[in-house]
Amino acid sequence: MTKQELFDKFVELMGRFADIRAVTALRDGFIMTTPFTICGSVFLLLANLPIPGYAEFMAGIFGKDWTIPLNAVAGGTFSVLAVIAVLAITYKYVEAEGCDAIMASILALSTFIIILPPFAANRTVPSSTTSSRRPGLAATASSRPSS
């Protein structure tokens, strides 16, 4: 088997994998989080630009606490990413199934909040999107129309 044949088989296999509805929903859901990720990253970069003398220059213009609002925007944006991912992934998956995507997204968000660890629910939404995939895909089963 030549390298080209092996590559062609790999591309075919990955194409079939990408056509799975759950994978497509994950892809589309995470694409919907991209603007928020970029926004938070820009503010984080502006607050912590790695140029010698930048922090002192900005402190001279805006005062010594000039990074606080920029870090607040970045932290808030990254903290809400898991919630956005739950809503977006659920919406895209249920929409592809032909069901009521809004209600399923609300159900997934409720499920996500319920399964949060107690300390995280009292402080802030976790910035990790690891646990945000499960409620979205699980909520789909309960939102399918009965046949």
Side-chain angles (χ1 to χ4, degrees):
M1 183 176 283
T2 66
K3 287 183 181 180
Q4 185 61 40
E5 290 172 338
L6 185 61
F7 179 75
D8 291 342
K9 288 207 182 279
F10 178 75
V11 168
E12 179 186 338
L13 179 66
M14 289 297 107
R16 281 189 277 150
F17 178 74
D19 288 339
I20 298 171
R21 284 187 188 166
V23 174
T24 303
L26 285 170
R27 181 196 66 211
D28 293 344
F30 280 117
I31 287 172
M32 291 178 77
T33 66
T34 302
F36 300 97
T37 305
I38 291 171
C39 177
S41 299
V42 166
F43 281 92
L44 187 64
L45 184 61
L46 287 174
N48 302 294
L49 202 60
I51 296 175
Y54 173 74
E56 294 80 20
F57 173 73
M58 296 298 279
I61 296 173
F62 298 110
K64 65 178 182 144
D65 294 331
W66 69 275
T67 60
I68 292 175
L70 298 174
N71 286 327
V73 171
T77 304
F78 293 138
S79 293
V80 78
L81 272 178
V83 172
I84 295 168
V86 165
L87 295 171
I89 292 168
T90 303
Y91 188 88
K92 288 298 187 178
Y93 186 81
V94 175
E95 182 182 51
E97 292 287 323
C99 301
D100 187 5
I102 295 292
M103 287 308 296
S105 296
I106 292 169
L107 179 62
L109 180 60
S110 302
T111 305
F112 178 69
I113 292 171
I114 289 169
I115 66 172
L116 281 176
F119 69 89
N122 292 332
R123 286 181 32 225
T124 183
V125 177
S127 60
S128 169
T129 56
T130 305
S131 60
S132 65
R133 294 182 288 260
R134 287 175 282 202
L137 297 176
T140 304
S142 62
S143 66
R144 288 188 180 161
S146 48
S147 0

